[in-house]
Amino acid sequence: MTLHPFRLTPQYHERIWGGTRFKQDDKKIGEAWIVHEDNVILDGDHSGLALKQLAASHAVELLGARTLDRTGKRFPLLIKLLDPADWLSLQVHPNDEQAKQLEGKDQFGKTEAWHILEADPNAQLIAGLKANTSAEALRQTIRDGTIFEHVQYLSVNQSDTIFIRAGTIHALGPGLFLYEIQQTSDLTYRVFDWDRPQTNVRVLHIEKSLAVADPSAIGQASRQPQVNDGEVKTLVRCEYFALDLIGGESKSISLNTRGESFHALTIREGVARVEGDGWSQTLQRLETVIIPASCGAYRVHPQGKYLALKASVE
């Protein structure tokens, strides 16, 4: 059976650091979860189902052989748009083994990558610690609340990509708007929260942070590669996901899931029409379509100049 592509209904999450880009009743929306296992399918034959329900009933057709081999029937990625108007907490995520030890055998770790969609002048983020920070210094500064004095600040620009492997202490700063791809996990251990008051739902996780933080782990900003008309360029490849940048103005691009992994295609700029055997979707800026693994070959046709991000399981 071949599944046709479909869109998902985003989930909007209010955050203390959130901005106003998403325009949800004047709330501080920090995150729009645009691809997640709990998102509801918006259109097509399976509209109204949660993505995880479709994965359970049509695992091979939706996820593909490679994905099933890696992570079973669970949808393996979480993709977000983030709008920070203030600093997020300094935080760290566990790897797969640590997640199972600390949270349960059904848990995934959280390796992620950020692609900057917009950046104010002088926008910064934190991605790791200063060089030569020892494990002992890391432990001490996490416990006494001075870890912020030892972090590495990165100045970033529109179109930069930053890979954050599990164990990296990190934080997003204000003046950014970004696309985030990660493993399906929301395990976040707060190391330091800029002296915000702790609440029942917003606490520090000192002992767990100490268990998973790696003082040698840092993130670096990669500049966007040159993308010519009709080209696909790699932004990130790791054992959990691949993120590619697609560009065009007049030339169409041929892509193929090959039955190995679904593709999640998000328009970064412009408009594009995506079509395959018996289906077609036209996407505007920041719209996303899920292309099931069973779709095989398809094409992306520019409707003027566009850029798109393609996420899959590598």
Side-chain angles (χ1 to χ4, degrees):
M1 176 182 177
T2 298
L3 296 176
H4 281 178
F6 54 85
R7 306 182 200 213
L8 297 168
T9 301
Q11 294 181 355
Y12 296 98
H13 295 266
E14 193 170 8
R15 299 288 186 254
I16 193 171
W17 46 262
T20 58
R21 292 177 189 270
F22 297 116
K23 296 181 173 58
Q24 297 291 308
D25 299 326
D26 297 323
K27 295 179 180 179
K28 290 184 174 182
I29 303 298
E31 304 181 4
W33 292 19
I34 59 174
V35 178
H36 181 248
E37 59 186 358
D38 288 330
N39 285 40
V40 173
I41 296 171
L42 182 61
D43 52 16
D45 295 338
H46 301 280
S47 63
L49 288 182
L51 185 58
K52 63 185 178 185
Q53 293 176 294
L54 187 62
S57 63
H58 295 76
V60 174
E61 297 92 336
L62 173 61
L63 301 175
R66 180 188 296 138
T67 306
L68 277 172
D69 184 59
R70 296 282 181 84
T71 52
K73 292 185 177 183
R74 188 173 179 187
F75 196 85
L77 298 182
L78 169 55
I79 299 175
K80 306 176 183 178
L81 301 177
L82 287 90
D83 178 23
D86 198 356
W87 279 99
L88 278 68
S89 61
L90 269 176
Q91 54 193 244
V92 65
H93 308 305
N95 60 30
D96 286 343
E97 182 180 352
Q98 293 164 340
K100 288 176 172 56
Q101 291 173 347
L102 294 170
E103 306 293 344
K105 62 181 181 180
D106 61 339
Q107 295 293 320
F108 291 158
K110 186 175 174 182
T111 286
E112 61 191 354
W114 300 322
H115 182 73
I116 307 299
L117 302 173
E118 299 176 20
D120 290 349
N122 304 315
Q124 291 184 308
L125 53 81
I126 292 168
L129 304 179
K130 294 177 181 177
N132 303 316
T133 300
S134 68
E136 181 180 351
L138 172 63
R139 288 193 296 270
Q140 181 62 38
T141 57
I142 287 178
R143 289 196 183 280
D144 66 21
T146 60
I147 184 67
F148 65 92
E149 297 177 358
H150 299 269
V151 297
Q152 173 186 251
Y153 286 85
L154 288 180
S155 296
V156 291
N157 300 295
Q158 183 184 42
S159 305
D160 287 351
T161 301
I162 304 94
F163 179 68
I164 302 291
R165 68 176 174 87
T168 308
I169 289 179
H170 61 279
L172 291 169
L176 295 169
F177 182 49
L178 64 144
Y179 169 106
E180 178 180 270
I181 179 173
Q182 61 180 73
Q183 294 174 262
T184 292
S185 171
D186 204 36
L187 294 178
T188 295
Y189 301 150
R190 292 188 191 90
V191 180
F192 177 76
D193 203 18
W194 311 104
D195 295 326
R196 295 180 179 119
Q198 293 192 59
T199 67
N200 291 336
V201 296
R202 192 173 183 88
V203 300
L204 298 181
H205 308 91
I206 300 301
E207 297 306 319
K208 289 181 178 180
S209 297
L210 289 167
V212 307
D214 180 354
S216 66
I218 61 171
Q220 295 181 334
S222 300
R223 305 305 180 196
Q224 178 177 298
Q226 178 65 41
V227 181
N228 296 319
D229 193 4
E231 281 192 335
V232 179
K233 291 291 182 71
T234 298
L235 297 177
V236 176
R237 284 282 191 281
C238 71
E239 60 186 299
Y240 304 109
F241 52 78
L243 183 63
D244 297 317
L245 184 66
I246 301 169
E249 186 170 5
S250 61
K251 295 181 180 179
S252 298
I253 297 175
S254 295
L255 299 170
N256 198 329
T257 66
R258 304 187 186 282
E260 296 177 344
S261 169
F262 62 91
H263 291 177
L265 199 67
T266 302
I267 301 299
R268 198 188 92 178
E269 298 172 12
V271 181
R273 189 177 81 256
V274 188
E275 64 180 19
D277 185 13
W279 61 270
S280 178
Q281 294 261 13
T282 298
L283 302 178
Q284 309 288 327
R285 181 175 185 264
L286 301 182
E287 290 186 334
T288 297
V289 64
I290 304 297
I291 301 167
S294 63
C295 285
Y298 67 96
R299 292 178 66 79
V300 182
H301 302 287
Q303 310 294 290
K305 190 174 183 179
Y306 82 99
L307 288 170
L309 296 163
K310 178 175 74 68
S312 60
V313 172
E314 177 63 15

